[in-house]
Amino acid sequence: MSRHNARHALAEADRPAGKPQQRIPAAKLATYLTEEQIQVQVAQYLDAKLPKDWRWFHSPNGGHRLKSVAAKLKAQGVKPGIPDVCILRPRGLPIWIELKAVGGTLTVAQKEFMAWCVFAGQPFKVCRSVGEVEVFLKQYLA
């Protein structure tokens, strides 16, 4: 019996405490954008809307790769937990944005980077849509 099934087999009072598990039905999940689709929309938005003297880049740390490719990238300095988007301004701190699809969660390395950003006073936001990116930038820069 899997851990998930075992958890549901227990009586309500006997279940371990903690965050309740919310499952999104597969049929409904298919209606949401993938992280890659969100990234494309964010890229188009940033290219169109950021001031011309700003720069931004996407750090393609995630994704599935051959072990040989992953080893080469690691040797070249790729670090786990780096957010998907970094926005650079001529005078100001970089803005870090981690993109997640609906249901996606931060890895341990991503949580550590977020904590570092809070410690260092650098803006960091987890966004699940291009709309959330737009709202975050407007609120942060207001």
Side-chain angles (χ1 to χ4, degrees), residues 49-70:
K49 299 296 183 180
L50 287 182
K52 297 300 178 204
D53 59 343
W54 291 27
R55 300 292 181 260
W56 76 273
F57 63 90
H58 165 63
S59 178
N61 284 1
H64 300 286
R65 295 185 169 84
L66 295 173
K67 287 185 179 183
S68 60
V69 174

Side-chain angles (χ1 to χ4, degrees), residues 87-101:
I87 300 171
L88 303 171
R89 303 175 287 160
R91 290 165 294 285
L93 295 171
I95 299 171
W96 300 96
I97 299 174
E98 177 61 39
L99 299 172
K100 288 291 178 192

Side-chain angles (χ1 to χ4, degrees), residues 24-34 37 102:
I24 300 171
K28 188 172 183 183
L29 191 58
T31 64
Y32 293 107
L33 296 176
T34 65
Q37 291 169 323
V102 171

Side-chain angles (χ1 to χ4, degrees), residues 87-128:
I87 300 171
L88 303 171
R89 303 175 287 160
R91 290 165 294 285
L93 295 171
I95 299 171
W96 300 96
I97 299 174
E98 177 61 39
L99 299 172
K100 288 291 178 192
V102 171
T105 59
L106 294 176
T107 65
V108 171
Q110 290 169 334
K111 289 177 184 177
E112 289 171 355
F113 191 91
M114 180 174 65
W116 177 84
C117 284
V118 170
F119 169 78
Q122 300 212 4
F124 178 98
K125 179 74 173 172
V126 177
C127 295
R128 298 184 184 278

